Amino acid sequence: MNQDDTDYLWDKRHALLYRVELSALYHQKRERFFEASDKLAKAVAILGGSAALAKTVSAEQLTLVAAAITVSSTLSLVFGFSDKARRHAELARSFKQIEADMLRKGERDFTETDLSEWAGRIAALEASEPPSLGNLVRICHNELAQASGQLDKRRKVGFIRWAFAHLVDLPLAKAKA
């Protein structure tokens, strides 16, 4: 195999490895977000529903507490936070399994057939993913760039986009040329 072929295969492996790392990180973040949302909704319901709270707050405050319980419980039921957390955990685990298979094969012992098989598995998983949130993907990209010491590859994510990254897909800021 000549150097051009080796470089091509190495670049392809690197790109696939990056895709699985990015996807796994993204789904781990989504899992944590949905788990936290589910736990928060349950905590509001438990704390708000406690008899001790009813004795210590005024009637107006009790109305607010009841509204908070209703809203948080409804959000948890409608959006299925725990179900979404499990789905993202499954996806993260599947991407991590592909990453493990790639790393197990080593940096020199993989073939073009291995690359094709990994790419097919990645594409199949990506086809089953819910739509991604662009700002959250960018946040994950920045974390991977930071971890690999490639600070020049980070892309700006403003505070508002960062704060709402799990909730809405705000338009991405334009990249600087």
Side-chain angles (χ1 to χ4, degrees):
M1 187 179 301
N2 66 35
Q3 188 60 41
D4 287 341
D5 289 340
T6 302
D7 290 346
Y8 168 77
L9 292 176
W10 179 257
D11 290 345
K12 186 114 170 125
R13 179 188 181 274
H14 178 72
L16 290 174
L17 197 53
Y18 175 79
R19 277 173 63 190
V20 297
E21 289 172 344
L22 181 68
S23 293
L25 180 60
Y26 175 88
H27 290 295
Q28 287 169 334
K29 285 184 175 297
R30 294 297 283 161
E31 175 193 6
R32 286 191 299 266
F33 172 78
F34 287 122
E35 280 181 348
S37 298
D38 186 53
K39 288 177 182 174
L40 179 63
K42 289 175 182 172
V44 167
I46 290 169
L47 292 174
S50 74
L53 181 66
K55 293 180 182 178
T56 61
V57 297
S58 68
E60 299 85 31
Q61 291 171 327
L62 198 55
T63 302
L64 291 174
V65 169
I69 293 169
T70 302
V71 168
S72 67
S73 297
T74 301
L75 288 174
S76 182
L77 181 64
V78 169
F79 291 110
F81 296 142
S82 61
D83 292 339
K84 288 185 180 199
R86 276 193 300 280
R87 177 68 180 131
H88 285 284
E90 277 176 30
L91 286 164
R93 203 171 18 262
S94 296
F95 280 111
K96 283 297 202 181
Q97 182 60 55
I98 295 170
E99 180 182 15
D101 293 346
M102 292 176 75
L103 294 175
R104 192 173 12 264
K105 195 70 173 176
E107 293 183 1
R108 292 189 173 92
D109 295 331
F110 63 93
T111 65
E112 191 163 1
T113 302
D114 293 325
L115 294 172
S116 296
E117 190 260 328
W118 296 327
R121 288 172 57 196
I122 292 167
L125 276 176
E126 288 173 344
S128 72
E129 292 178 300
S132 62
L133 298 167
N135 289 298
L136 185 57
V137 170
R138 186 174 280 184
I139 290 167
C140 294
H141 164 81
N142 288 345
E143 286 185 21
L144 290 175
Q146 177 87 26
S148 65
Q150 298 176 330
L151 304 182
D152 58 315
K153 297 217 176 184
R154 293 181 301 173
R155 308 262 314 269
K156 184 171 176 28
V157 178
F159 176 75
I160 297 297
R161 285 182 178 84
W162 176 84
F164 288 96
H166 281 282
L167 302 174
V168 293
D169 201 12
L170 296 171
L172 290 170
K174 294 193 179 197
K176 294 180 183 177

